[in-house]
Amino acid sequence: MPIYEYQCKKCSRVFEALVLGNDKEVPACDKCGSCEVQRRISAANTIGGTGKDFSGGCSPNRSSGFS
């Protein structure tokens, strides 16, 4: 299960997420809830990193976060 690093296009927050299963689904920003995030190229993660599991996220058709 890979840990990816994302950057929110709305608030610029950089965060990590442990991707479970479908890597086409992206997590919502953990600060502002936006689904407008971009996966970044990051260095290999070490054991004990800060990646968070998420069991849901933004589907490819969903364009906004919290209403």
Side-chain angles (χ1 to χ4, degrees):
M1 290 179 271
I3 295 176
Y4 292 114
E5 188 172 84
Y6 294 90
Q7 182 166 15
C8 179
K9 292 181 180 181
K10 285 194 173 187
C11 71
S12 300
R13 177 166 174 79
V14 175
F15 62 98
E16 295 177 338
L18 177 63
V19 178
L20 306 172
N22 185 358
D23 66 351
K24 292 181 183 176
E25 190 169 303
V26 297
C29 175
D30 61 354
K31 180 179 178 184
C32 73
S34 173
C35 289
E36 295 180 39
V37 298
Q38 181 175 9
R39 189 164 59 186
R40 296 172 35 128
I41 297 173
S42 60
N45 203 358
T46 60
I47 295 175
T50 60
K52 296 179 182 177
D53 291 356
F54 74 97
S55 57
C58 301
S59 67
N61 299 353
R62 187 172 161 194
S63 62
S64 64
F66 300 121
S67 298

